Amino acid sequence: MGIAERIFHSVLFETLAVTLSIIGLALFTDHDIAALSGTMIVVATMAMCWNYLFNLIFDHFVQGEKTLRSLQTRLVHVVLFEAGLLLATIPAMAYLLEVSLFEAFVMDIGVTIFITIYAFLFNFAYDHARVWMVDGRVAIVK
């Protein structure tokens, strides 16, 4: 994956993630859409930067055809990514939404659980769609 495609992947991933996260947080908190939107845009920007860097590093250590990655490799990928991101986003959410670190932690864990499942499904679908679109072939699902 080249730089342009990595950027496209990150932007597509985050656009969908932000939209779905704002909807979810609006349903489960008393914060208004404007505050949640601003916060999630900041969090998404942080996540996009981390996504690019993390995947560059991960792909360096885990090489080979992405569609052949095992379930275990995909689970390790998403857990490491989300754990690293939590370290930065909890303080950011607390500050932007004017809540305690504990409240931000609870909110961020909710978003993280959703995003972890979403990331798994998104990357699985993206990798297989990429093979179909770029190479004109069907990916083998293991």
Side-chain angles (χ1 to χ4, degrees):
M1 208 186 296
I3 292 172
E5 187 179 354
R6 284 189 188 279
I7 292 169
F8 171 77
H9 175 270
S10 294
V11 170
L12 179 62
F13 178 92
E14 293 303 330
T15 300
L16 293 172
V18 166
T19 302
L20 296 172
S21 295
I22 291 168
I23 292 167
L25 285 170
L27 292 172
F28 295 107
T29 70
D30 293 332
H31 296 284
D32 64 40
I33 296 290
L36 293 172
S37 297
T39 300
M40 291 314 298
I41 288 169
V42 168
V43 168
T45 301
M46 295 168 75
M48 280 185 6
C49 295
W50 177 235
N51 187 351
Y52 179 83
L53 180 62
F54 178 81
N55 283 307
L56 192 64
I57 294 166
F58 192 86
D59 289 349
H60 175 75
F61 288 102
V62 181
Q63 298 179 353
E65 177 63 42
K66 290 180 180 152
T67 59
L68 299 178
R69 287 181 177 170
S70 68
L71 176 62
Q72 181 180 358
T73 300
R74 290 183 180 278
L75 290 172
V76 166
H77 176 272
V78 75
V79 168
L80 288 176
F81 175 83
E82 293 299 336
L85 187 59
L86 273 173
L87 293 174
T89 57
I90 291 170
M93 285 182 80
Y95 175 76
L96 293 169
L97 293 174
E98 299 177 350
V99 297
S100 70
L101 285 173
F102 180 74
E103 288 174 286
F105 171 76
V106 171
M107 290 172 67
D108 212 354
I109 287 297
V111 170
T112 299
I113 290 168
F114 163 73
I115 294 294
T116 301
I117 295 165
Y118 165 76
F120 177 83
L121 296 172
F122 177 90
N123 285 307
F124 181 84
Y126 185 91
D127 290 346
H128 286 77
R130 181 182 186 276
V131 167
W132 177 73
M133 292 172 66
V134 172
D135 297 341
R137 62 185 171 90
V138 176
I140 299 170
V141 178
K142 288 189 174 195

